Amino acid sequence: MPDKIPSDSVGLVSPQTHHFDQPLDLVSGAVIQEYDLAYETYGKLNQAKSNAILICHALSSNHHVAGYNTPDDKKPGWWENFIGPGKPIDTNKFYVVGSNNLGGCFGSTGPSSINPDSDKPFGPDFPIVTVKDWVQSQARLSDVLGIEQWAAVIGGSLGGMQVLQWSIDYPDRLRHAITIAAAAKLTAQNIGFNEVARQAIVTDSDFHKGRFYDHNTEPSRGLRIARMLGHITYLSDDSMREKFGRQLRDERIDFGYEVEFEIESYLRYQADSFVGKFDANTYLLMTKALDYFDPASDYDNDLAKAISHAKANFLVVSFTGDWRFAPSRAREIVKALHDNNLNVSYAEIKATHGHDAFLMKIPHYMEIFGAYMERVASEL
Amino acid sequence: MPDKIPSDSVGLVSPQTHHFDQPLDLVSGAVIQEYDLAYETYGKLNQAKSNAILICHALSSNHHVAGYNTPDDKKPGWWENFIGPGKPIDTNKFYVVGSNNLGGCFGSTGPSSINPDSDKPFGPDFPIVTVKDWVQSQARLSDVLGIEQWAAVIGGSLGGMQVLQWSIDYPDRLRHAITIAAAAKLTAQNIGFNEVARQAIVTDSDFHKGRFYDHNTEPSRGLRIARMLGHITYLSDDSMREKFGRQLRDERIDFGYEVEFEIESYLRYQADSFVGKFDANTYLLMTKALDYFDPASDYDNDLAKAISHAKANFLVVSFTGDWRFAPSRAREIVKALHDNNLNVSYAEIKATHGHDAFLMKIPHYMEIFGAYMERVASEL
């Protein structure tokens, strides 16, 4: 933590956990008998319970969205840029909830949690959950928190997919849906990258068919590869050129296989710092949830039909440099919303940062996001 | 082999090998004392020795460019579409030479060859070779074949880089330089993908610091990952959408980690059929040669300066769907050539196929290539 917590931070925050003892029926047909969801909240729920905002997280993140968990934390939550007093998601006005997705590895029940039936980690016995399942579990958390209707449900990337699913499955339970750097389904290329990541993990000799916990190890080599690859898809060719170019780490080429170019150093560093912090089975599960997400598939592949019962007002944001979920993918969502005569604001932000732009303080993005949230606040 | 060899094929061809006993000084400072180069030739060298064409290969291919090596071959050489009687590179007119790059694993000396000093495979003791080294070794092969000047040196991808280096290092030894789907240097993103592939190989527990031959194994898991990733970068988002989309292999989703989407099946198949046929150390070495290629780096990063002594006439071809070496990268080459008042024909072919387009029978591409080669033939 910085010597002094910045005045626009929510400051020290504590994660909470709720235990759900009602079985959850999953899309796959599997049932989770009981489970925990970890979450954090910032700001105060008003008396009308009308000012609650749900933040849905992306593949590798969690419920720690803003503030600091301990005085020793070097970094705040992953969306600190956007959440806090006076920030676009203003905690003086809103009650903000971040929850860790089911199947995760940061407090919610997932493959690394202890299976009460065996007293060992679930591992591969933990069922694959989908975006729809997450949204159902988040709706139950809403009930626990006494939130009948969210002022807004907000998310970037995989989080934006959850937002879309919320608007479809619980049309009366959110007034605004904000989906950022997302798509209504993955392309073959997106699935291909996920499959490479998964194959790297499951073919690692330390994977042990997902029961690596029992062997006191983890498929760290596979997870490293998955994370390196992920980072390439989070950045853009342009942003990598700006950040690293062909810059060498030392003055000269060594003609060997140690780090030579700065980009190699960056990728290895990102990979090394991920291993030990993230569960490999959760990584597999999250990529599968991404692959499967396709709300139109039950509606003759017609997204407009899938979303025809939605009632929320939408803000859709995309970034020009995002080749993972390019603006053209966001425009598919916008078209489906327009086809249903829903209120849609769409912003295509000029940014070279790639997919990761949704995390960044890009002035035009902050402005548009902030203005939209002021509108949401003005309705309270 | 098909029941009957097509009449426009060069037919049955035999690879040849030449042993070079003069040491080769490499860019790295290392020296290869002696080495073999494997090559194939098609067509007949004319008396003036003016009709010779050198084909330079890309990362994973070799000297078997056209025709069939045995009556049992199911597939012809990798550029059969372009080389043969009546084809763009017409073997009725030209004498065509394909050689396997030094460091390769198809007959030329490389990491999997026996080191005469130890009677074991070189493995990591085989030095890293660069594009410049390959061109030097190919120039020596030209001497052996009695070819003072090539009518054209031609290559796609990494092969196109060799073409560019030929025009720089041996300006008097080629009349035409044809570079296809290439770039004058890799971007950080390109290097990033190569680094992921390398890390997958070197962290495979069967890699044994490159001495896997001594353990009767190979880092097949890592090589599989490298190949899967490679294939994603060879195709385009569009071509993958057309070819596979979100097509499932079976009717329904299985909620498991076996193949579900067709794209997963394709990538696994490509990977599985690569393993056992390609040497992992060669893969590492080839990606390094790609990373290092940057002829401008010795000339204040000014490509025009690097190429200022070139004399060849150029055909530069790029493909709109190629995101690995996009048309903008080809235009950098064209600009540097123009800056030197060289004759340049540039074709940007509209094609959704991605990087692999350079291998394909795309009508507009075939036409332009064929017309250019007729011009080369007309000068004989």
Side-chain angles (χ1 to χ4, degrees):
Chain A
M1 196 170 63
D3 288 338
K4 206 179 155 193
I5 300 179
S7 59
D8 63 352
S9 174
V10 298
L12 274 177
V13 292
S14 295
Q16 300 172 62
T17 304
H18 187 82
H19 182 74
F20 294 79
D21 51 15
Q22 292 298 307
L24 188 77
D25 292 325
L26 303 180
V27 170
S28 67
V31 180
I32 299 184
Q33 292 300 334
E34 50 179 332
Y35 55 96
D36 290 339
L37 285 188
Y39 64 99
E40 287 187 5
T41 71
Y42 324 115
K44 280 186 184 158
L45 187 61
N46 64 12
Q47 210 156 10
K49 299 185 174 179
S50 65
N51 69 331
I53 305 266
L54 177 66
I55 309 292
C56 303
H57 71 72
L59 196 151
S60 60
S61 55
N62 54 42
H63 54 292
H64 182 42
V65 188
Y68 300 82
N69 282 153
T70 75
D72 297 330
D73 282 3
K74 290 210 176 68
K75 276 185 182 176
W78 58 268
W79 226 15
E80 179 79 357
N81 285 339
F82 289 80
I83 296 169
K87 291 184 183 170
I89 301 172
D90 189 342
T91 46
N92 289 330
K93 298 172 181 169
F94 295 112
Y95 174 68
V96 180
V97 178
S99 90
N100 185 210
N101 287 359
L102 196 58
C105 51
F106 292 104
S108 292
T109 304
S112 57
S113 306
I114 297 299
N115 181 348
D117 292 346
S118 68
D119 276 333
K120 285 182 179 179
F122 284 95
D125 298 330
F126 194 88
I128 289 181
V129 292
T130 64
V131 169
K132 199 176 170 72
D133 298 322
W134 284 331
V135 167
Q136 195 195 163
S137 70
Q138 289 159 0
R140 289 191 179 183
L141 180 64
S142 318
D143 296 340
V144 168
L145 298 172
I147 295 156
E148 180 50 40
Q149 187 184 61
W150 297 95
V153 179
I154 306 176
S157 190
L158 178 54
M161 293 172 166
Q162 294 163 61
V163 173
L164 209 57
Q165 194 70 50
W166 258 99
S167 74
I168 294 170
D169 289 351
Y170 300 98
D172 294 313
R173 297 197 72 173
L174 69 166
R175 294 195 294 285
H176 294 273
I178 302 183
T179 168
I180 307 167
K185 62 184 174 197
L186 297 199
T187 62
Q189 189 189 64
N190 296 145
I191 296 173
F193 280 124
N194 282 344
E195 173 66 358
V196 176
R198 281 191 295 263
Q199 286 292 303
I201 292 170
V202 304
T203 64
D204 185 320
S205 50
D206 286 329
F207 182 64
H208 299 289
K209 297 185 177 171
R211 303 202 187 276
F212 48 87
Y213 320 95
D214 305 346
H215 297 76
N216 280 316
T217 185
E218 60 172 337
S220 54
R221 287 163 297 198
L223 194 58
R224 261 182 104 243
I225 297 303
R227 186 62 167 175
M228 290 176 86
L229 182 53
H231 268 279
I232 297 178
T233 70
Y234 305 154
L235 301 176
S236 71
D237 194 18
D238 281 343
S239 67
M240 289 173 98
R241 192 181 346 257
E242 281 166 27
K243 252 177 131 160
F244 313 106
R246 294 180 54 83
Q247 196 63 45
L248 293 168
R249 206 161 175 223
D250 300 323
E251 291 288 299
R252 56 185 199 81
I253 285 173
D254 292 326
F255 296 99
Y257 294 102
E258 294 308 312
V259 162
E260 295 195 298
F261 292 96
E262 283 291 352
I263 178 62
E264 297 173 317
S265 169
Y266 171 82
L267 292 174
R268 290 194 197 182
Y269 174 82
Q270 293 295 337
D272 292 339
S273 55
F274 192 58
V275 167
K277 287 190 202 145
F278 204 88
D279 177 64
N281 281 316
T282 289
Y283 201 91
L284 294 174
L285 181 152
M286 295 276 169
T287 62
K288 272 294 185 182
L290 273 163
D291 287 5
Y292 291 147
F293 182 68
D294 183 9
S297 65
D298 291 333
Y299 298 86
D300 308 324
N301 290 316
D302 182 344
L303 184 61
K305 233 192 248 181
I307 216 159
S308 65
H309 297 293
K311 295 178 179 174
N313 300 297
F314 277 81
L315 170 63
V316 177
V317 181
S318 71
F319 301 92
T320 55
D322 182 359
W323 61 281
R324 196 164 190 243
F325 298 139
S328 59
R329 312 303 316 285
R331 278 186 240 120
E332 292 168 10
I333 298 175
V334 171
K335 188 183 175 307
L337 298 170
H338 277 154
D339 287 349
N340 284 298
N341 291 314
L342 289 161
N343 289 322
V344 191
S345 300
Y346 174 54
E348 204 164 297
I349 308 290
K350 205 172 163 177
T352 56
H353 309 71
H355 186 60
D356 265 356
F358 81 92
L359 298 167
M360 291 176 192
K361 284 173 90 164
I362 298 164
H364 186 209
Y365 171 36
M366 300 291 279
E367 253 169 55
I368 284 175
F369 199 167
Y372 194 91
M373 291 310 297
E374 273 179 34
R375 179 183 144 197
V376 178
S378 72
E379 297 164 3
L380 296 177
Chain B
M1 194 168 67
D3 288 333
K4 204 178 157 195
I5 300 181
S7 61
D8 62 353
S9 174
V10 297
L12 274 177
V13 292
S14 294
Q16 300 172 63
T17 304
H18 187 83
H19 183 75
F20 295 79
D21 53 14
Q22 292 299 307
L24 188 76
D25 293 324
L26 303 180
V27 170
S28 66
V31 180
I32 298 183
Q33 292 301 333
E34 49 178 335
Y35 56 95
D36 289 340
L37 286 188
Y39 64 98
E40 287 187 3
T41 71
Y42 324 115
K44 279 187 185 158
L45 188 60
N46 63 12
Q47 210 157 10
K49 301 187 175 180
S50 64
N51 70 333
I53 305 267
L54 176 66
I55 310 290
C56 303
H57 70 75
L59 195 151
S60 60
S61 55
N62 53 44
H63 54 291
H64 180 42
V65 188
Y68 300 81
N69 281 154
T70 77
D72 298 329
D73 283 1
K74 289 208 176 70
K75 277 187 182 174
W78 58 268
W79 226 16
E80 180 79 358
N81 286 338
F82 289 80
I83 297 168
K87 292 186 184 170
I89 301 172
D90 188 342
T91 47
N92 290 330
K93 297 172 182 169
F94 295 112
Y95 174 68
V96 180
V97 179
S99 91
N100 184 210
N101 287 358
L102 195 58
C105 50
F106 292 103
S108 291
T109 303
S112 56
S113 307
I114 297 298
N115 181 348
D117 292 343
S118 67
D119 275 335
K120 286 182 178 179
F122 283 96
D125 298 330
F126 195 88
I128 289 182
V129 291
T130 64
V131 169
K132 200 176 169 75
D133 297 323
W134 284 331
V135 168
Q136 194 194 164
S137 71
Q138 289 159 359
R140 288 191 179 180
L141 180 65
S142 319
D143 296 340
V144 168
L145 299 172
I147 296 156
E148 180 51 38
Q149 186 182 61
W150 297 94
V153 179
I154 306 176
S157 191
L158 178 55
M161 293 173 168
Q162 293 162 61
V163 172
L164 208 58
Q165 193 71 51
W166 260 98
S167 76
I168 294 170
D169 289 351
Y170 300 99
D172 294 314
R173 298 197 72 172
L174 70 167
R175 294 195 293 285
H176 293 273
I178 302 182
T179 167
I180 307 167
K185 62 183 175 197
L186 296 199
T187 62
Q189 189 189 63
N190 296 145
I191 296 173
F193 280 123
N194 282 343
E195 173 67 358
V196 175
R198 283 191 295 264
Q199 286 292 303
I201 293 169
V202 304
T203 63
D204 185 321
S205 49
D206 286 330
F207 183 64
H208 300 290
K209 295 183 179 172
R211 302 202 187 278
F212 47 87
Y213 321 93
D214 303 347
H215 297 77
N216 281 316
T217 186
E218 60 172 336
S220 55
R221 289 164 296 196
L223 193 59
R224 260 182 103 245
I225 297 301
R227 186 62 167 173
M228 290 177 87
L229 182 53
H231 269 278
I232 297 179
T233 70
Y234 304 154
L235 301 175
S236 71
D237 194 19
D238 281 343
S239 66
M240 289 173 99
R241 192 181 348 256
E242 282 166 25
K243 254 179 131 157
F244 312 105
R246 294 179 55 83
Q247 196 64 45
L248 293 168
R249 206 161 177 222
D250 301 323
E251 291 287 300
R252 56 183 196 81
I253 284 175
D254 293 324
F255 297 99
Y257 295 102
E258 293 309 310
V259 162
E260 294 196 297
F261 293 95
E262 282 291 354
I263 178 62
E264 296 173 317
S265 170
Y266 171 82
L267 292 174
R268 290 195 197 181
Y269 174 81
Q270 292 295 337
D272 291 340
S273 56
F274 192 60
V275 167
K277 287 190 201 145
F278 204 89
D279 177 64
N281 281 316
T282 290
Y283 201 91
L284 294 175
L285 180 152
M286 294 276 172
T287 62
K288 272 294 185 182
L290 272 163
D291 287 5
Y292 292 147
F293 182 68
D294 183 9
S297 64
D298 291 334
Y299 296 88
D300 308 324
N301 292 315
D302 181 344
L303 184 61
K305 231 191 247 182
I307 218 159
S308 65
H309 296 292
K311 294 178 181 174
N313 300 297
F314 276 81
L315 170 63
V316 177
V317 181
S318 71
F319 302 92
T320 55
D322 182 359
W323 61 282
R324 195 163 190 246
F325 298 138
S328 59
R329 313 302 315 285
R331 279 185 239 121
E332 292 169 10
I333 298 174
V334 171
K335 188 185 176 301
L337 298 169
H338 278 153
D339 286 349
N340 284 299
N341 291 315
L342 288 161
N343 290 321
V344 191
S345 300
Y346 174 55
E348 202 165 298
I349 308 290
K350 208 175 160 171
T352 57
H353 309 70
H355 185 61
D356 265 357
F358 82 92
L359 298 166
M360 292 175 190
K361 282 173 91 165
I362 299 164
H364 185 210
Y365 170 37
M366 301 289 281
E367 255 169 54
I368 283 175
F369 199 166
Y372 194 92
M373 291 310 297
E374 274 179 34
R375 177 181 147 199
V376 177
S378 73
E379 296 165 2
L380 296 176

